[in-house]
Amino acid sequence: MRIAADRILGLALIGLAAFAAFNATQFQVTFSYEPVGPKAFPILLSVVLAALSLVLVFRPGENGEWPEKQVVLKLVAVLAVLLVYALLFTRLGFLVTTFLAVFSLSRLFDATWLKALVAGVLMAIGSYYLFTLGLGISLPGGRWLPDFN
Amino acid sequence: MFDFLIQGFDVALSPLNLGLAFLGALLGTLFGALPGIGPINGIAILMPLAYTLGLPAESALILLAGVYTGAEYGGRMSSILLNVPGDAGAVMTTLDGHPLAKKGLAGPALGLSAVSSFVGATIAIIGLTLFAPLLAEVAVMFGPAEFFALMVFAFASMSVMMGKDPIKTGIGAVLGVMVAMVGVDSGTGVMRYTFGMAELYDGVDFVVMIIGLFAISEILLMLEHANRKDASDEMPPLGRVMVSLKELLYCKWTMLRSGVIGFIVGVLPGTGASVAGAVTYTTEKRLSDKDNTFGTGDMRGLAAPEAGNNASAAGSFVPMLTLGIPGSGTTAVLLGALMLYNITPGPMLFSERPEVAGGLIASLYIGNIVLLALNLPLAGLFAKVLTIPRWVLVPGIAILAFVGVFQLHSDLMAIYLMLIIGIFGYALRKLGFSLAPVILGYVLGGLMEDNLRRALSISGGDVGILWQSGISIGLWIAAVLLVAVPWLLPKLLSRKSLASA
């Protein structure tokens, strides 16, 4: 299983190298006054990458341990929180989204409901004033708060 | 000859820069002490803020360099107290540091590591002051062909020294260089790998790249560690926090030797604090371990890697400032930070921007003293940082990452890209890759291609120009030797032992 991961990775990287090289050949160079255009270097890199990946396929190394199913679910949940944070960041404003993000991340990292709630409120408001007042950074939304800028 | 240093102290002693050096040292120690946040993460998180604040280049660099050196100090905390290295450079510190703590000597161990860090760093900063201007004078003679050869040498030395698996180090570096290819080609205006997305025309932004690669992937890794219960969270009592003069004198030669070795390791391109820690520890073990006490809580076994990794941090500034080739993953990030300010470090930096080069070096002297002054009396306080729970730490990192990236590019595409790079970085780390080569490749990639194309356009396309001068031939030979010797040596030795058997 461990060894298989490196083999799959090696094959995937060879695919990437082939894709990058093919892509490079498609660059439309209309005018070039240099002997080496924009294609050569990416193609050279693709060759190096393919060669190294080939070694990996034939002589796979050791990988780290893979997480258990439960942890994978949590990882996906953390990523989902970060994605939703990004999606709503400008729409709902910094304060609301940051509260939600901190609250759910704290929960995912095993805080109790109460602790997560406190962390969410404190960190959202604290960081808002730290960034806007202390560092003069403008953040999206939150116009219903007193404006110090 | 040392005009740059006088000018540098002028810069570094201004109230703003003095404050930033202090702040950097303090934050760096905290970042280093926090489990999972090493120097690169610390700098990655702070850099967008430094940039946003509109600090002048030398001030931003002073702040970030303070974070770097401070984090090398802070990394020892969790190594000694919890047997968990705070960052890659502190791995060897656990070997004798933790046994000392278990013996009830946690306090003196922290004190000793602070002093040996100070000694190691001081030796290396003096080395930096002496050698960097000399190297810069040599480097003025470098043309594009020599720079290309130098970068090949840097990658070769990195793949041999860094990480367990040279193949993966190499692949990581190539992947980094490939990311650097994205965007409009400066020579011809051709779009490369942008897939029609306007956000990618300027390439993958440096801040997005390092925050994604380091901070986001770290969040994901922390989740795994949080679910594993192997690390004991019990902190041993500190005991007396001061180290005695007798103990210090016992380690004096260890500290001096390790400082010099660490400096040399740091100067070699591509090798960083983790290599310095390993090399100094094994050297000291070979030289001084007469009674086999190393690994059981020998003071010298703690002093060696601590002096070594701090020395290498200062040493890695030598190639970064004079050649524009970072000596470590962290200096690669600092190099990128300089490029944000349109400063390309290289041989001309000392003559053209002495306030940047000199100010940085002077601030290292100051920061190092600040660090010793902070770390001796406040070791107990910094150790408390270790008890910050992850459910506070992780949302904090997430907020800083989002605000940092959003502030620089008020568009959401940058944030999505950061998340994608983060997943990618996490996968690479799980597959046994080290991220330092990736970031080194990313920072050097553009320069490497530029120099190659410039060299070939000078020669009209003749590849021979790449190995025409003595300097470049030397670099090519050194690169080949670096890769070949560790690979051939065991085979030659085993053949010899077979023949004799």
Side-chain angles (χ1 to χ4, degrees):
Chain A
M1 169 60 208
R2 280 189 182 181
I3 287 175
D6 262 10
R7 291 232 156 97
I8 296 168
L9 174 74
L11 291 174
L13 288 172
I14 291 173
L16 177 71
F19 172 75
F22 173 74
N23 213 303
T25 60
Q26 303 295 306
F27 295 151
Q28 301 284 327
V29 189
T30 44
F31 176 74
S32 177
Y33 42 89
E34 291 176 320
V36 182
K39 294 179 185 182
F41 197 65
I43 293 174
L44 182 75
L45 283 176
S46 307
V47 173
V48 176
L49 180 62
L52 289 171
S53 307
L54 212 59
V55 180
L56 204 61
V57 173
F58 286 104
R59 292 182 49 189
E62 255 185 66
N63 291 144
E65 280 170 48
W66 290 94
E68 299 159 29
K69 206 175 182 182
Q70 199 196 349
V71 180
V72 174
L73 284 178
K74 272 196 170 183
L75 281 173
V76 174
V78 168
L79 282 172
V81 170
L82 293 176
L83 190 67
V84 173
Y85 190 14
L87 276 171
L88 300 177
F89 198 62
T90 44
R91 277 170 226 178
L92 292 183
F94 177 83
L95 274 169
V96 179
T97 45
T98 301
F99 164 74
L100 291 174
V102 173
F103 176 73
S104 12
L105 282 177
S106 295
R107 279 293 297 156
L108 282 167
F109 277 81
D110 297 327
T112 60
W113 288 101
L114 181 68
K115 281 178 179 168
L117 198 68
V118 174
V121 172
L122 288 183
M123 286 176 87
I125 297 176
S127 60
Y128 181 81
Y129 282 109
L130 177 74
F131 287 128
T132 51
L133 273 184
L135 300 174
I137 293 172
S138 58
L139 292 168
R143 278 195 203 88
W144 36 278
L145 269 180
D147 195 354
F148 290 93
N149 287 325
Chain B
M1 182 185 162
F2 293 110
D3 286 350
F4 75 94
L5 194 64
I6 295 165
Q7 199 178 345
F9 270 104
D10 232 27
V11 171
L13 287 172
S14 79
L16 170 71
N17 291 339
L18 211 53
L20 287 173
F22 184 84
L23 182 70
L26 182 69
L27 288 175
T29 312
L30 290 176
F31 280 134
L34 285 170
I37 308 183
I40 296 191
N41 274 307
I43 292 173
I45 291 169
L46 276 187
M47 197 180 60
L49 295 179
Y51 191 66
T52 308
L53 285 175
L55 296 174
E58 65 275 12
S59 303
L61 196 61
I62 285 171
L63 173 71
L64 298 177
V67 173
Y68 181 16
T69 45
E72 296 296 342
Y73 266 79
R76 71 215 159 90
M77 301 271 173
S78 60
S79 302
I80 293 172
L81 297 173
L82 301 177
N83 205 22
V84 179
D87 62 78
V91 172
M92 305 310 273
T93 308
T94 58
L95 296 183
D96 279 285
H98 191 61
L100 277 170
K102 274 199 187 145
K103 281 189 202 165
L105 293 170
L110 286 176
L112 173 67
S113 71
V115 175
S116 44
S117 295
F118 175 78
V119 173
T122 306
I123 291 172
I125 298 167
I126 293 171
L128 170 66
T129 316
L130 295 176
F131 290 113
L134 290 178
L135 191 60
E137 273 170 39
V138 176
V140 174
M141 293 185 278
F142 277 38
E146 283 78 16
F147 269 114
F148 182 75
L150 180 67
M151 284 178 218
V152 173
F153 169 74
F155 281 121
S157 110
M158 177 176 67
S159 53
V160 176
M161 306 275 202
M162 219 185 242
K164 286 170 227 142
D165 190 336
I167 295 294
K168 286 185 177 172
T169 310
I171 291 176
V174 175
L175 288 175
V177 179
M178 285 183 134
V179 176
M181 296 296 102
V182 175
V184 178
D185 170 41
S186 56
T188 54
V190 172
M191 303 285 177
R192 297 197 288 183
Y193 308 107
T194 53
F195 308 106
M197 281 183 278
E199 290 86 354
L200 287 178
Y201 287 177
D202 285 336
V204 177
D205 181 89
F206 179 70
V207 172
V208 173
M209 178 79 177
I210 61 162
I211 293 197
L213 209 53
F214 291 96
I216 300 295
S217 76
E218 191 64 50
I219 289 178
L220 299 175
L221 274 190
M222 278 187 185
L223 183 70
E224 277 185 42
H225 293 303
N227 276 273
R228 225 180 289 151
K229 296 278 178 243
D230 52 358
S232 69
D233 286 334
E234 297 254 326
M235 232 200 293
L238 284 185
R240 66 186 164 96
V241 184
M242 287 313 261
V243 55
S244 72
L245 193 64
K246 203 178 127 210
E247 287 160 336
L248 282 181
L249 288 176
Y250 177 61
C251 299
K252 63 177 185 290
W253 294 118
T254 301
M255 286 191 249
L256 294 176
R257 264 197 298 266
S258 304
V260 173
I261 296 173
F263 172 71
I264 296 169
V265 172
V267 172
L268 286 176
T271 55
S274 44
V275 179
V279 172
T280 48
Y281 186 85
T282 44
T283 309
E284 208 50 40
K285 188 171 159 59
R286 207 174 298 144
L287 286 176
S288 341
D289 190 13
K290 305 276 185 277
D291 319 312
N292 275 324
T293 47
F294 271 51
T296 60
D298 191 307
M299 290 261 173
R300 292 167 303 181
L302 170 65
E306 277 302 303
N309 65 25
N310 285 276
S312 83
S316 61
F317 281 106
V318 174
M320 184 199 117
L321 290 175
T322 56
L323 299 169
I325 305 281
S328 66
T330 316
T331 34
V333 175
L334 287 173
L335 183 71
L338 275 177
M339 288 171 166
L340 279 183
Y341 285 95
N342 284 322
I343 296 175
T344 309
M348 306 307 284
L349 188 69
F350 279 84
S351 48
E352 279 174 3
R353 299 295 296 268
E355 82 281 7
V356 174
L360 172 72
I361 294 176
S363 85
L364 288 176
Y365 281 101
I366 297 166
N368 200 30
I369 295 167
V370 170
L371 278 166
L372 185 69
L374 278 176
N375 273 277
L376 273 181
L378 299 181
L381 207 61
F382 283 127
K384 289 247 165 27
V385 172
L386 292 176
T387 55
I388 291 181
R390 288 208 165 78
W391 56 265
V392 176
L393 201 57
V394 167
I397 297 174
I399 295 175
L400 285 168
F402 271 68
V403 173
V405 169
F406 185 78
Q407 181 49 32
L408 284 181
H409 312 268
S410 304
D411 69 278
L412 293 175
M413 182 64 201
I415 293 184
Y416 297 139
L417 195 58
M418 166 187 88
L419 292 179
I420 293 167
I421 293 171
I423 299 169
F424 184 66
Y426 168 78
L428 282 181
R429 285 164 93 164
K430 292 307 289 180
L431 287 162
F433 284 81
S434 141
L435 293 184
V438 182
I439 204 71
L440 227 57
Y442 169 77
V443 169
L444 289 183
L447 289 173
M448 200 172 174
E449 187 185 17
D450 281 351
N451 280 300
L452 177 67
R453 284 163 72 172
R454 224 174 289 156
L456 290 177
S457 77
I458 292 171
S459 73
D462 177 14
V463 197
I465 192 174
L466 295 177
W467 40 84
Q468 233 159 38
S469 74
I471 297 174
S472 48
I473 292 174
L475 286 165
W476 282 106
I477 293 175
V480 171
L481 283 181
L482 261 177
V483 177
V485 168
W487 188 66
L488 286 177
L489 209 57
K491 299 195 176 187
L492 289 176
L493 287 178
S494 68
R495 192 171 299 162
K496 221 179 255 174
S497 61
L498 274 181
S500 63

